[in-house]
Coordinates of all heavy atoms in Angstrom, one line a residue:
Chain B
G226 N -28.6 2.3 6.0 CA -28.4 1.0 6.6 C -28.6 1.1 8.1 O -29.0 2.2 8.6
P227 N -28.3 0.1 8.9 CA -28.5 0.1 10.3 C -27.6 1.0 11.0 O -26.4 1.2 10.7 CB -28.3 -1.4 10.7 CG -27.3 -1.9 9.7 CD -27.7 -1.2 8.4
A228 N -28.1 1.6 12.1 CA -27.2 2.5 12.9 C -26.5 1.7 14.0 O -25.4 2.2 14.4 CB -28.1 3.6 13.6
L229 N -27.0 0.6 14.3 CA -26.4 -0.3 15.4 C -26.3 -1.7 14.9 O -27.3 -2.3 14.4 CB -27.3 -0.2 16.6 CG -26.8 -1.0 17.8 CD1 -25.4 -0.5 18.3 CD2 -27.8 -0.9 19.0
V230 N -25.2 -2.3 15.0 CA -25.0 -3.7 14.6 C -24.2 -4.4 15.8 O -23.4 -3.8 16.4 CB -24.1 -3.8 13.4 CG1 -23.9 -5.2 12.9 CG2 -24.7 -3.0 12.2
Q231 N -24.6 -5.6 16.0 CA -24.0 -6.4 17.1 C -22.7 -7.0 16.6 O -22.5 -7.4 15.4 CB -24.9 -7.5 17.6 CG -26.1 -6.9 18.3 CD -26.8 -8.0 19.1 OE1 -26.7 -9.2 18.9 NE2 -27.6 -7.6 20.1
P232 N -21.7 -7.1 17.5 CA -20.4 -7.8 17.1 C -20.7 -9.2 16.5 O -21.6 -9.9 17.0 CB -19.7 -7.9 18.4 CG -20.2 -6.7 19.2 CD -21.6 -6.6 18.9
T233 N -19.9 -9.5 15.6 CA -19.9 -10.8 14.8 C -20.9 -10.8 13.7 O -20.9 -11.7 12.9 CB -20.0 -12.1 15.7 OG1 -21.4 -12.2 16.1 CG2 -19.1 -12.1 16.9
Q234 N -21.8 -9.9 13.7 CA -22.9 -9.8 12.7 C -22.3 -9.3 11.4 O -21.2 -8.8 11.3 CB -24.1 -9.0 13.1 CG -24.9 -9.7 14.2 CD -26.2 -9.0 14.4 OE1 -26.4 -7.8 14.2 NE2 -27.2 -9.7 14.9
T235 N -23.1 -9.4 10.3 CA -22.8 -8.8 9.0 C -23.5 -7.5 8.8 O -24.7 -7.3 9.0 CB -23.2 -9.8 7.9 OG1 -22.4 -11.0 8.0 CG2 -23.0 -9.2 6.5
L236 N -22.7 -6.5 8.4 CA -23.2 -5.1 8.1 C -23.5 -5.0 6.6 O -22.6 -5.4 5.8 CB -22.2 -4.1 8.6 CG -22.4 -2.7 8.1 CD1 -23.7 -2.1 8.8 CD2 -21.2 -1.8 8.4
T237 N -24.6 -4.5 6.3 CA -25.0 -4.3 4.9 C -25.4 -2.8 4.8 O -26.3 -2.4 5.4 CB -26.1 -5.2 4.4 OG1 -25.7 -6.5 4.5 CG2 -26.4 -4.9 2.9
L238 N -24.7 -2.1 3.9 CA -25.0 -0.7 3.6 C -25.3 -0.5 2.2 O -24.7 -1.1 1.3 CB -23.8 0.2 4.0 CG -23.4 0.3 5.5 CD1 -22.2 1.1 5.7 CD2 -24.6 0.8 6.3
T239 N -26.2 0.4 1.9 CA -26.6 0.7 0.5 C -26.3 2.1 0.1 O -26.6 3.0 0.9 CB -28.1 0.4 0.3 OG1 -28.4 -1.0 0.6 CG2 -28.6 0.7 -1.1
C240 N -25.8 2.3 -1.0 CA -25.5 3.7 -1.6 C -26.5 3.8 -2.7 O -26.4 3.1 -3.7 CB -24.1 3.8 -2.0 SG -23.7 5.3 -2.8
T241 N -27.4 4.8 -2.6 CA -28.4 5.1 -3.7 C -28.0 6.4 -4.3 O -27.8 7.4 -3.6 CB -29.8 5.1 -3.1 OG1 -30.1 3.9 -2.5 CG2 -30.8 5.4 -4.3
F242 N -27.7 6.3 -5.6 CA -27.2 7.5 -6.3 C -28.1 8.0 -7.5 O -29.0 7.2 -7.9 CB -25.8 7.3 -6.8 CG -25.7 6.1 -7.7 CD1 -25.8 6.3 -9.1 CD2 -25.3 4.9 -7.3 CE1 -25.7 5.2 -10.0 CE2 -25.2 3.8 -8.1 CZ -25.4 3.9 -9.5
S243 N -27.9 9.2 -7.9 CA -28.7 9.7 -9.0 C -27.8 10.7 -9.7 O -26.8 11.2 -9.2 CB -30.0 10.4 -8.5 OG -29.7 11.5 -7.7
G244 N -28.1 11.0 -10.9 CA -27.4 12.0 -11.7 C -26.3 11.5 -12.6 O -25.6 12.2 -13.3
F245 N -26.0 10.2 -12.4 CA -25.0 9.5 -13.3 C -25.4 8.0 -13.4 O -26.2 7.6 -12.6 CB -23.6 9.7 -12.8 CG -23.3 9.0 -11.5 CD1 -22.6 7.7 -11.5 CD2 -23.6 9.5 -10.3 CE1 -22.3 7.1 -10.4 CE2 -23.3 8.8 -9.1 CZ -22.7 7.6 -9.1
S246 N -24.8 7.3 -14.3 CA -25.1 5.9 -14.5 C -23.8 5.1 -14.2 O -22.7 5.5 -14.8 CB -25.6 5.6 -15.9 OG -25.7 4.2 -16.1
L247 N -23.9 4.1 -13.5 CA -22.7 3.2 -13.2 C -22.5 2.3 -14.3 O -21.6 1.4 -14.3 CB -22.9 2.5 -11.9 CG -21.7 1.9 -11.2 CD1 -20.5 2.8 -11.2 CD2 -22.0 1.5 -9.8
S248 N -23.2 2.4 -15.4 CA -23.0 1.6 -16.6 C -22.2 2.5 -17.6 O -21.8 2.0 -18.7 CB -24.2 1.1 -17.2 OG -25.1 2.1 -17.5
T249 N -21.9 3.7 -17.3 CA -21.2 4.6 -18.2 C -19.7 4.3 -18.0 O -19.2 4.2 -16.9 CB -21.4 6.1 -17.8 OG1 -22.8 6.4 -18.0 CG2 -20.5 7.0 -18.7
S250 N -19.0 4.1 -19.1 CA -17.6 3.8 -19.1 C -16.8 4.7 -18.2 O -16.9 5.9 -18.4 CB -17.0 3.8 -20.5 OG -15.6 3.5 -20.5
G251 N -16.0 4.1 -17.3 CA -15.1 4.9 -16.4 C -15.7 5.2 -15.1 O -15.0 5.6 -14.1
M252 N -17.0 5.1 -14.9 CA -17.6 5.5 -13.6 C -17.3 4.5 -12.5 O -17.2 3.3 -12.8 CB -19.1 5.6 -13.8 CG -19.6 6.9 -14.4 SD -19.1 8.3 -13.4 CE -19.2 9.6 -14.6
R253 N -17.1 5.0 -11.3 CA -16.7 4.2 -10.2 C -17.4 4.7 -8.9 O -17.7 5.9 -8.8 CB -15.2 4.2 -10.0 CG -14.4 3.6 -11.1 CD -13.0 3.9 -11.0 NE -12.2 3.0 -11.9 CZ -11.0 3.2 -12.3 NH1 -10.3 4.2 -11.8 NH2 -10.4 2.3 -13.1
V254 N -17.7 3.8 -8.0 CA -18.2 4.2 -6.7 C -17.4 3.5 -5.7 O -17.2 2.3 -5.7 CB -19.7 3.8 -6.5 CG1 -20.1 4.0 -5.1 CG2 -20.6 4.6 -7.4
S255 N -16.9 4.3 -4.7 CA -16.0 3.9 -3.6 C -16.8 4.0 -2.3 O -17.7 4.8 -2.2 CB -14.7 4.7 -3.5 OG -13.8 4.4 -4.5
W256 N -16.3 3.2 -1.4 CA -16.8 3.3 0.0 C -15.5 3.7 0.8 O -14.4 3.2 0.7 CB -17.3 1.9 0.6 CG -18.6 1.6 0.0 CD1 -18.9 0.8 -1.0 CD2 -19.9 2.0 0.6 NE1 -20.3 0.7 -1.2 CE2 -20.9 1.4 -0.2 CE3 -20.3 2.8 1.7 CZ2 -22.3 1.6 0.1 CZ3 -21.6 3.0 1.9 CH2 -22.6 2.4 1.1
V257 N -15.8 4.7 1.7 CA -14.8 5.2 2.6 C -15.4 5.3 4.0 O -16.6 5.6 4.2 CB -14.4 6.7 2.2 CG1 -13.4 7.3 3.1 CG2 -13.8 6.6 0.7
R258 N -14.6 5.0 5.0 CA -15.1 5.2 6.4 C -14.2 6.0 7.2 O -13.1 6.3 6.9 CB -15.3 3.8 7.1 CG -14.0 3.1 7.5 CD -14.4 1.8 8.2 NE -13.1 1.1 8.6 CZ -13.1 -0.1 9.2 NH1 -14.3 -0.7 9.5 NH2 -12.0 -0.7 9.5
Q259 N -14.8 6.5 8.4 CA -14.1 7.4 9.2 C -14.5 7.1 10.7 O -15.6 7.6 11.1 CB -14.3 8.8 8.9 CG -13.5 9.9 9.6 CD -13.7 11.3 9.1 OE1 -14.8 11.7 8.7 NE2 -12.6 12.0 9.1
P260 N -13.7 6.5 11.5 CA -14.0 6.3 12.9 C -14.1 7.7 13.6 O -13.4 8.6 13.1 CB -12.8 5.5 13.4 CG -12.2 4.8 12.2 CD -12.4 5.8 11.1
P261 N -14.8 7.8 14.6 CA -14.9 9.1 15.3 C -13.6 9.8 15.6 O -12.7 9.1 16.3 CB -15.7 8.8 16.6 CG -16.5 7.6 16.2 CD -15.6 6.8 15.3
G262 N -13.4 11.0 15.2 CA -12.2 11.7 15.4 C -10.9 11.2 14.7 O -9.8 11.7 15.0
K263 N -11.1 10.3 13.8 CA -9.9 9.8 13.1 C -9.9 10.1 11.6 O -10.8 10.8 11.1 CB -9.9 8.3 13.3 CG -9.6 7.9 14.8 CD -9.3 6.5 15.0 CE -9.0 6.2 16.5 NZ -8.7 4.8 16.7
A264 N -8.9 9.5 10.9 CA -8.7 9.8 9.5 C -9.7 8.9 8.6 O -10.3 8.0 9.1 CB -7.3 9.5 9.1
L265 N -9.7 9.3 7.4 CA -10.5 8.6 6.4 C -9.8 7.3 6.0 O -8.5 7.3 5.9 CB -10.7 9.5 5.1 CG -11.4 10.8 5.4 CD1 -11.2 11.7 4.2 CD2 -12.9 10.6 5.6
E266 N -10.5 6.3 5.7 CA -10.0 5.0 5.3 C -10.8 4.5 4.1 O -12.0 4.3 4.2 CB -10.0 4.0 6.4 CG -9.5 2.6 6.0 CD -9.6 1.6 7.2 OE1 -10.5 1.7 8.0 OE2 -8.7 0.7 7.2
W267 N -10.1 4.3 3.0 CA -10.8 3.7 1.8 C -11.0 2.3 2.0 O -10.1 1.5 2.3 CB -9.9 4.0 0.6 CG -10.5 3.6 -0.7 CD1 -11.4 4.3 -1.5 CD2 -10.1 2.4 -1.5 NE1 -11.6 3.7 -2.7 CE2 -10.9 2.5 -2.7 CE3 -9.3 1.3 -1.3 CZ2 -10.8 1.5 -3.7 CZ3 -9.2 0.4 -2.3 CH2 -10.0 0.5 -3.5
L268 N -12.3 1.8 1.7 CA -12.6 0.4 1.9 C -12.6 -0.4 0.6 O -12.2 -1.5 0.5 CB -14.0 0.3 2.5 CG -14.2 1.0 3.8 CD1 -15.7 0.8 4.3 CD2 -13.3 0.4 4.9
G269 N -13.0 0.2 -0.5 CA -13.1 -0.5 -1.8 C -13.9 0.3 -2.8 O -14.5 1.3 -2.5
R270 N -13.9 -0.3 -4.0 CA -14.7 0.4 -5.1 C -15.2 -0.6 -6.1 O -14.7 -1.7 -6.2 CB -13.8 1.4 -5.8 CG -13.2 1.1 -7.1 CD -12.3 2.0 -7.8 NE -11.8 1.2 -8.9 CZ -10.6 1.3 -9.3 NH1 -9.7 2.2 -8.8 NH2 -10.2 0.6 -10.4
I271 N -16.2 -0.2 -6.8 CA -16.8 -1.0 -7.9 C -16.8 -0.2 -9.1 O -17.2 1.0 -9.0 CB -18.1 -1.7 -7.5 CG1 -18.6 -2.7 -8.6 CG2 -19.2 -0.6 -7.3 CD1 -19.7 -3.6 -8.1
D272 N -16.5 -0.7 -10.2 CA -16.4 0.0 -11.5 C -17.6 -0.3 -12.4 O -18.3 -1.3 -12.2 CB -15.1 -0.3 -12.2 CG -13.9 0.0 -11.5 OD1 -14.0 0.7 -10.4 OD2 -12.8 -0.3 -11.9
W273 N -17.7 0.5 -13.5 CA -18.8 0.4 -14.4 C -18.8 -1.1 -15.1 O -19.9 -1.6 -15.4 CB -18.6 1.4 -15.5 CG -17.6 1.1 -16.6 CD1 -17.9 0.5 -17.8 CD2 -16.2 1.1 -16.5 NE1 -16.7 0.3 -18.5 CE2 -15.7 0.7 -17.7 CE3 -15.3 1.6 -15.5 CZ2 -14.3 0.7 -17.9 CZ3 -13.9 1.5 -15.7 CH2 -13.5 1.1 -16.9
D274 N -17.6 -1.7 -15.2 CA -17.6 -3.0 -15.8 C -17.6 -4.1 -14.7 O -17.2 -5.3 -15.1 CB -16.3 -3.1 -16.6 CG -15.0 -2.9 -15.8 OD1 -15.1 -2.6 -14.6 OD2 -13.9 -2.9 -16.4

Side-chain angles (χ1 to χ4, degrees):
Chain B
L229 180 65
V230 183
Q231 292 194 340
T233 75
Q234 288 192 332
T235 295
L236 169 65
T237 300
L238 296 174
T239 300
C240 174
T241 303
F242 57 88
S243 64
F245 69 99
S246 173
L247 198 42
S248 58
T249 299
S250 179
M252 281 296 161
R253 295 169 167 165
V254 171
S255 286
W256 286 94
V257 177
R258 72 178 180 180
Q259 185 174 38
K263 296 192 177 181
L265 300 165
E266 179 180 33
W267 185 80
L268 300 179
R270 104 183 170 215
I271 189 164
D272 298 354
W273 80 101
D274 60 358

